[in-house]
Amino acid sequence: MTTLGAGDLHLTSELVSALNSFLYDHDDSALEKVLDQVPKPVRMAVQQYLKDKCEPVMGAFTECGPVEVVRETVFFGGIDAELEEYLECAYTIGLGIRMSNERQHDGLVGWVIRLLNDEVSVPASAEPRTWAVPAGAKLARTWTSKQRAGDAGPVRNALQAAADATAMGRWVRIHTLLHSRYDIDFEGSGTSEFVVDVFDAPIPLSQRGE
């Protein structure tokens, strides 16, 4: 993107931190303070890069940097005790969870799970969502663990909501997030929640190789 000269190397950490924060919440106030201190060519290069390359992607960044996949595409054949234990372990250590149902070519329904290295925070007043609804998809309803469907715990309640919708032949996606208690400086303080999206669409056919 750009290079800082020897006389400006002391600004490196501050610039990286400000860029990470901007990519997370697109509030440019902190970034502008740093860019005011760097040479004009550096400022122009950063601004041009952000304009051309950095369209906001929901759930892709925290204020510390990009959210990374730590376990790619784990497949479970159904909602059972093994799947529940897997999610409980991931949830307990604070990994982000994204999972979706899919129909196999033999007609059976399974679940594809991706684990992320962190849960993304959302402000207190924001919609509880860090996984964007796909373009053209229509939501039938959304359940969150904040609604307390029962006393079994957030993992089991989320799986039950997903199982109920799956039994009706609906496409379902589940993800986790950290819902902050604050609207300002909201990163890292709040309640971890499950979000279950039920789409007005049939369970998609698996695209994975058989």
Side-chain angles (χ1 to χ4, degrees):
M1 178 169 60
T2 188
T3 302
L4 288 172
D8 301 297
L9 289 180
H10 63 287
L11 295 171
T12 301
S13 295
E14 190 176 354
L15 178 58
V16 170
S17 177
L19 282 168
N20 282 335
S21 293
F22 174 78
L23 291 171
Y24 174 50
D25 58 18
H26 281 257
D27 180 353
D28 63 1
S29 55
L31 181 58
E32 285 298 321
K33 290 179 182 178
V34 182
L35 292 181
D36 284 342
Q37 303 176 59
V38 301
K40 184 176 180 180
V42 173
R43 178 187 178 92
M44 293 176 63
V46 170
Q47 291 174 330
Q48 190 62 45
Y49 179 85
L50 295 177
K51 178 181 178 181
D52 294 342
K53 304 291 185 181
C54 293
E55 290 295 321
V57 178
M58 181 179 288
F61 289 88
T62 71
E63 66 175 5
C64 296
V67 176
E68 298 176 351
V69 176
V70 295
R71 191 72 186 271
E72 182 82 54
T73 315
V74 178
F75 179 77
F76 282 85
I79 293 178
D80 55 17
E82 183 182 8
L83 172 55
E84 183 176 344
E85 182 180 10
Y86 184 83
L87 294 185
E88 283 280 8
C89 291
Y91 185 61
T92 298
I93 63 176
L95 297 181
I97 297 169
R98 290 187 176 184
M99 60 184 288
S100 178
N101 61 358
E102 63 175 32
R103 189 172 299 280
Q104 308 305 300
H105 293 277
D106 59 7
L108 297 177
V109 175
W111 293 86
V112 176
I113 303 174
R114 174 179 291 181
L115 298 181
L116 311 176
N117 68 336
D118 203 357
E119 289 182 340
V120 178
S121 297
V122 296
S125 61
E127 177 188 14
R129 176 175 306 284
T130 60
W131 195 5
V133 174
K138 182 180 179 181
L139 276 172
R141 63 183 180 277
T142 296
W143 175 93
T144 74
S145 53
K146 199 170 185 178
Q147 296 173 24
R148 301 286 300 190
D151 296 324
V155 175
R156 182 169 296 181
N157 286 334
L159 289 177
Q160 186 61 57
D164 292 344
T166 299
M168 298 175 62
R170 295 292 184 92
W171 177 26
V172 179
R173 295 198 319 183
I174 301 174
H175 74 283
T176 57
L177 53 83
L178 188 67
H179 205 160
S180 179
R181 291 185 284 271
Y182 310 105
D183 278 325
I184 299 174
D185 295 331
F186 56 85
E187 173 68 17
S189 178
T191 304
S192 183
E193 297 178 13
F194 274 83
V195 178
V196 181
D197 284 327
V198 180
F199 293 92
D200 187 14
I203 301 169
L205 187 65
S206 172
Q207 299 299 312
R208 298 176 303 110
E210 295 296 319

